[in-house]
Amino acid sequence: MSGVLYVSNFLSSGLNRSYCEDLADRLEDRGWQVTRTSTKQRRGARIFDMVRTAWARRKTYDVAVIDVYSGAAFVWAEAVAFELRRLHKPYVLTLHGGSLPEFAGRWPRRVRRLLGSAAVITAPSDFMRQRMREFRTDIVLVRNAVDARAFAFTPRMAPRARLVWVRAFHAIYNPVLAVEVLARLPGATLTMVGPDKGDGSLAKVEARANELGVTNRLELIGRVPRAAVADHLARADVFINTTDVDNTPLSVLEAMATGLCVVTTAVGGTPYLVEDGKSGLLTKQGDPVAMSAAIERVLAEPGLGERLSRGAHARALEHDWSSVLDQWSQTLERVVARG
């Protein structure tokens, strides 16, 4: 089997593994020789390591995969792609992050130049594929994958007010909204799981919870191993996703695989993943009244919880690794065959 260079953030150290780490491991299980870059924490060192690895390991890979994000992370894609072109190595770009289309609108020449140079462009959602079509018309849909069968599915026949939130504590995910929703639901409990990204969001959550008098109904877990996330999901009935920016969030997919009733803001690619009234409920961004009302509907409307639970699980199975990994391997094989 051929070799692949995978360029992304390999930073988890075993906790809260990122999607690129799962995909790299599974490609190796399929027989691909995978070179990963980078594990460097500091941005400048990471970009240097990515470019250096592309050159130093040039004899060990036939194709590269580069994860493309907006903002400062876009620079690593540009830098590595430049080096790969110099080495005459083909590469696949995979588009991530709900804010990438807005970034492309601000920097159209940079984005058009990068996307035009790739052998293949993939996107994990129809949202991303449609929003980026003006820069490349042949973008291939390769969904974000979840190991759906690794999560114990339990249909929520009569859901209770046990809420769970799984994300990083960062402003773009609006974790404070979760606390404001909790305050509007007397008797509900909320477990929030995820690492602190250091932008002050966790402190704001704690302060707002104290201000609203809900600290006794709020549990802040912090960063946990992947297996522990599954345990927290299993103990809840309603998953709330409060984000302001999103594409195809794996945390939502995992909740759907577990059979939780998903209530989420309708931002970015989320409406392409969650079908309102069938696999979850969509609410307005940043609106605690709308989100709490949706949760109350899940708890009170006969049959709704079970319908959302089963619909969510069926949707998650469409994203299972069993089909997505085949598509990845076939895409890379075609690029290698074309040289």
Side-chain angles (χ1 to χ4, degrees), residues 8-9 11 37-51 70-77 79-80 170:
S8 190
N9 282 323
L11 304 175
T37 185
S38 171
T39 60
K40 303 296 183 182
Q41 294 288 336
R42 298 183 63 179
R43 183 181 300 155
R46 193 182 317 149
I47 294 174
F48 176 80
D49 185 52
M50 289 172 170
V51 175
S70 60
F74 192 81
V75 176
W76 92 48
V80 176
H170 189 279

Side-chain angles (χ1 to χ4, degrees), residues 25-63:
D25 288 352
R26 290 174 185 272
L27 286 173
E28 281 188 332
D29 291 341
R30 280 291 179 92
W32 289 87
Q33 180 183 345
V34 181
T35 300
R36 300 162 175 80
T37 185
S38 171
T39 60
K40 303 296 183 182
Q41 294 288 336
R42 298 183 63 179
R43 183 181 300 155
R46 193 182 317 149
I47 294 174
F48 176 80
D49 185 52
M50 289 172 170
V51 175
R52 182 196 62 80
T53 302
W55 181 85
R57 300 295 300 275
R58 62 192 183 279
K59 295 182 180 179
T60 66
Y61 64 89
D62 307 281
V63 60

Side-chain angles (χ1 to χ4, degrees), residues 211-244:
E211 178 184 342
L212 294 172
V214 296
T215 53
N216 62 319
R217 297 190 284 127
L218 173 66
E219 185 177 15
L220 300 175
I221 301 298
R223 184 189 293 269
V224 298
R226 175 70 62 84
V229 171
D231 291 340
H232 287 295
L233 293 176
R235 287 195 288 268
D237 285 334
V238 179
F239 181 92
I240 58 174
N241 185 46
T242 57
T243 184
D244 292 334

Side-chain angles (χ1 to χ4, degrees), residues 187-203:
T189 60
L190 171 63
T191 300
M192 301 185 73
V193 182
D196 177 13
K197 289 298 185 179
D199 71 340
S201 292
L202 178 57

Side-chain angles (χ1 to χ4, degrees), residues 165 169 174-179 190 192 200-211 214-215 218 220:
W165 179 98
F169 284 88
N174 198 0
V176 172
L177 176 59
V179 175
L190 171 63
M192 301 185 73
S201 292
L202 178 57
K204 290 179 181 178
V205 165
E206 293 171 330
R208 188 65 171 144
N210 185 63
E211 178 184 342
V214 296
T215 53
L218 173 66
L220 300 175

Side-chain angles (χ1 to χ4, degrees), residues 2-6 32 61-65 89-92 332 335-336:
S2 303
V4 57
L5 172 71
Y6 200 154
W32 289 87
Y61 64 89
D62 307 281
V63 60
V65 174
K89 295 282 191 179
Y91 49 90
V92 175
L332 295 176
V335 174
V336 171

Side-chain angles (χ1 to χ4, degrees), residues 260-276:
L260 271 74
C261 302
V262 174
V263 178
T264 175
T265 50
V267 299
T270 308
Y272 293 79
L273 176 63
V274 178
E275 188 174 1
D276 191 38

